[in-house]
């Protein structure tokens, strides 16, 4: 959410009006949206990766990984259904029913581990499970930056005061993760505080062409895919980076693909209603919120943005007061200069009169002068 949160419940769907002006701020909803955008829409295009010199991981390998993930999700869903309907843990149907109710309670809450059978097979209840009920859909402002701008946000688990002096070290660390290639350079675009003593560092990477010598920014999707890969995980951890977020907006086709199917754990009716009730489809996009933790994060973001806006309003108020004071001083000086100008005009007129009298001394009155006297 770029800016803050102003929630208005709409049945099971909420609404969050972003009030910031920059790119989308850190929140779990846009984080998930960015992952889906890159992994499902951009990375599979097999674009050239400047970090490795070839395709980004290989399009075929990514498709295989995607199919494997889908199969794992299907198996997990089967175990989840078994744990909630009738787990076969004991040779007693009543006790198994009691275990099923306990599993249902954990699934409703979206947290905990349920027992499936007597072999000790378990299933973990996630907050984005279809059976979890503590979830809703809110609206977040779409980032205004494009993929060509190359902006990627690093969420650092340190306060802003600790991060700003280390901005050069962060750039150097990211450059080392990219292989310390001489044709790549890392630049910090902005640094701003986040709730819970975290800091958002927005960066981009410039690539210099060895042939023409011109530089251009790497696409945000390329940088995001690299930083989210396994090769950069340990390096980012040493820099206290907790997460990486894509800062580019969606194209029309990508937005259509994102809205086509609901996120994990969100039923189609809720998702369709969120799309239908979107107050500004051009600037806002629905994102899921799971549990109180993510909702609290958005509330903290709103409070932080409110403090920043209030501080900015106070700065503007001081500037306006200074301008008013300067304006009053200028008007007073202007009135003083007008009086001075009038006095000097009168003095000049008296001097001219005396000069003319002295010049005409000894001469008779001329006809035109006599006419003026009459």
């Amino acid at each position: 959410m770029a800016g803050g949160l102003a929630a208005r419940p709409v049945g099971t769907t909420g609404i969050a009006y972003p009030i910031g002006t920059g790119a989308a701020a850190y929140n779990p909803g846009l984080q998930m949206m960015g992952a889906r955008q890159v992994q499902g829409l951009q990375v599979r295009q097999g674009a050239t990766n400047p970090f490795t010199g070839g395709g980004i991981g290989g399009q075929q390998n990514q498709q295989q990984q995607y199919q494997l993930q889908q199969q794992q999700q299907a198996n997990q869903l089967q175990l989840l259904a078994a744990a909630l309907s009738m787990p076969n843990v004991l040779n007693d149907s009543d006790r198994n029913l009691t275990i099923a109710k306990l599993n249902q309670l954990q699934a409703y809450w979206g947290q905990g581990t349920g027992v499936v059978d007597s072999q000790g097979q378990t299933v973990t209840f996630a907050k984005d499970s279809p059976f979890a009920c503590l979830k809703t859909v809110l609206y977040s402002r779409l980032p205004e930056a494009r993929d060509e701008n190359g902006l990627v946000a690093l969420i650092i688990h340190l306060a802003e005061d600790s991060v700003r002096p280390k901005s050069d070290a962060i750039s150097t660390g990211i450059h080392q993760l990219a292989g310390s290639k001489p044709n790549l350079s890392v630049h910090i675009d902005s640094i701003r505080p986040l709730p819970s003593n975290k800091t958002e560092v927005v960066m981009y990477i410039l690539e210099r062409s060895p042939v023409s010598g011109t530089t251009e920014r790497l696409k945000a999707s390329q940088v995001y895919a690299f930083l989210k890969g396994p090769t950069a995980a340990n390096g980012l951890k040493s820099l206290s980076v907790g997460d990486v977020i894509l800062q580019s907006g969606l194209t029309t086709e990508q937005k259509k693909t994102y809205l086509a199917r609901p996120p994990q754990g969100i039923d189609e009716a809720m998702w369709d209603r969120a799309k239908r009730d979107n107050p500004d489809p051009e600037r806002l996009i629905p994102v899921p919120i799971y549990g109180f933790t993510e909702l609290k994060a958005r509330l903290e973001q709103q409070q932080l943005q409110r403090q920043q806006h209030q501080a900015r309003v106070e700065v503007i108020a001081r500037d306006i007061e200074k301008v008013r004071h300067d304006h009053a001083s200028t008007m007073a000086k202007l009135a003083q200069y007008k009086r001075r100008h009038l006095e000097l005009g009168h003095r000049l007129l008296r001097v001219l009169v005396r000069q003319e009298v002295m010049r005409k001394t000894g001469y008779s009155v001329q006809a035109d002068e006599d006419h003026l006297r009459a």
Side-chain angles (χ1 to χ4, degrees):
M1 178 179 56
L5 168 79
R8 170 178 61 84
V10 186
T12 55
T13 303
I15 176 171
Y17 294 102
I19 55 180
T21 58
Y26 174 62
N27 70 75
L30 282 183
Q31 175 184 357
M32 185 220 66
M33 186 186 74
R36 286 180 57 185
Q37 172 188 352
V38 174
Q39 297 173 359
L41 302 174
Q42 294 179 337
V43 177
R44 296 181 194 171
Q45 296 175 0
T48 301
N49 185 3
F51 304 107
T52 60
I56 302 179
Q59 184 176 6
Q60 183 176 2
N61 292 337
Q62 291 173 4
Q63 292 178 352
Q64 294 176 354
Q65 293 177 1
Y66 178 75
Q67 294 175 358
L68 180 60
Q69 291 177 357
Q70 293 295 321
Q71 184 63 33
Q72 291 176 349
Q73 291 179 0
N75 296 337
Q76 187 73 8
L77 188 59
Q78 292 179 357
L79 292 176
L80 186 60
L84 298 179
S85 58
M86 183 55 71
N88 187 17
V89 180
L90 303 173
N91 293 326
D92 189 333
S93 59
D94 293 337
R95 293 184 178 180
N96 287 335
L97 182 60
T98 302
I99 295 175
K101 291 181 178 179
L102 291 176
N103 291 341
Q104 292 171 10
L105 181 61
Q106 293 183 93
Y108 181 92
W109 185 256
Q111 188 175 3
T113 303
V115 182
V116 179
D117 53 30
S118 58
Q119 303 298 325
Q121 195 170 14
T122 61
V123 60
T124 301
F125 300 112
K127 56 186 178 182
D128 58 355
S129 167
F131 302 98
C133 296
L134 300 178
K135 55 191 174 185
T136 187
V137 178
L138 304 179
Y139 298 103
S140 289
R141 181 177 178 178
L142 283 167
E144 297 178 355
R146 298 178 299 173
D147 191 31
E148 291 75 13
N149 298 132
L151 298 180
V152 175
L154 305 177
I155 308 303
I156 301 180
H157 292 182
L158 294 173
E160 180 189 12
D161 297 338
S162 302
V163 173
R164 286 192 177 276
K166 300 179 181 178
S167 58
D168 293 338
I170 295 174
S171 300
T172 303
I174 299 298
H175 186 252
Q176 292 175 353
L177 291 178
S180 299
K181 295 187 176 181
N183 63 322
L184 298 179
S185 59
V186 181
H187 301 268
I188 302 298
D189 182 77
S190 63
I191 300 176
R192 71 184 189 92
L194 292 177
S196 304
N197 287 327
K198 296 180 182 179
T199 305
E200 179 191 74
V201 177
V202 180
M203 52 152 285
Y204 60 91
I205 298 180
L206 289 179
E207 181 182 22
R208 186 180 67 257
S209 173
V211 179
S212 62
T214 60
T215 59
E216 63 177 3
R217 295 189 182 190
L218 297 181
K219 291 186 176 181
S221 56
Q222 294 177 327
V223 179
Y224 176 85
F226 169 73
L227 294 178
K228 294 293 285 187
T231 57
N234 293 332
L236 292 177
K237 187 176 180 180
S238 64
L239 296 174
S240 301
V241 176
D243 202 357
V244 181
I245 298 179
L246 190 69
Q247 292 288 73
S248 63
L250 299 176
T251 64
T252 303
E253 186 63 27
Q254 292 169 350
K255 184 177 178 181
K256 182 179 179 181
T257 304
Y258 170 77
L259 296 174
R261 59 185 179 89
Q264 183 174 350
I266 303 297
D267 61 81
E268 293 187 6
M270 181 187 297
W271 190 243
D272 292 340
R273 182 171 183 179
K275 293 187 293 184
R276 186 172 58 253
D277 295 343
N278 192 342
D280 191 352
E282 296 298 325
R283 300 176 60 192
L284 303 180
I285 194 167
V287 293
I289 291 296
Y290 304 104
F292 293 111
T293 302
E294 295 183 4
L295 187 61
K296 179 184 177 183
R298 293 178 72 102
L299 179 60
E300 291 176 346
Q301 181 66 37
Q302 179 195 17
Q303 294 173 346
L304 177 62
Q305 287 293 323
R306 183 181 299 172
Q307 294 173 0
Q308 293 177 349
H309 289 175
Q310 183 63 33
R312 186 58 185 167
V313 168
E314 293 176 356
V315 171
I316 294 175
R318 290 194 296 267
D319 292 342
I320 293 176
E321 186 63 26
K322 183 178 182 298
V323 170
R324 288 177 176 174
H325 180 269
D326 294 343
H327 176 72
S329 301
T330 302
M331 294 302 295
K333 289 182 179 180
L334 181 60
Q336 178 183 355
Y337 293 150
K338 284 183 177 180
R339 292 192 299 269
R340 182 63 175 169
H341 177 266
L342 186 61
E343 293 174 359
L344 292 177
H346 290 166
R347 290 179 61 183
L348 179 61
L349 183 59
R350 288 195 296 268
V351 170
L352 291 176
V353 169
R354 291 179 181 179
Q355 182 184 7
E356 187 67 15
V357 170
M358 293 178 65
R359 189 173 70 86
K360 295 293 184 177
T361 301
Y363 291 91
S364 62
V365 178
Q366 299 179 359
D368 55 345
E369 295 176 340
D370 185 66
H371 176 73
L372 290 175
R373 183 174 60 182

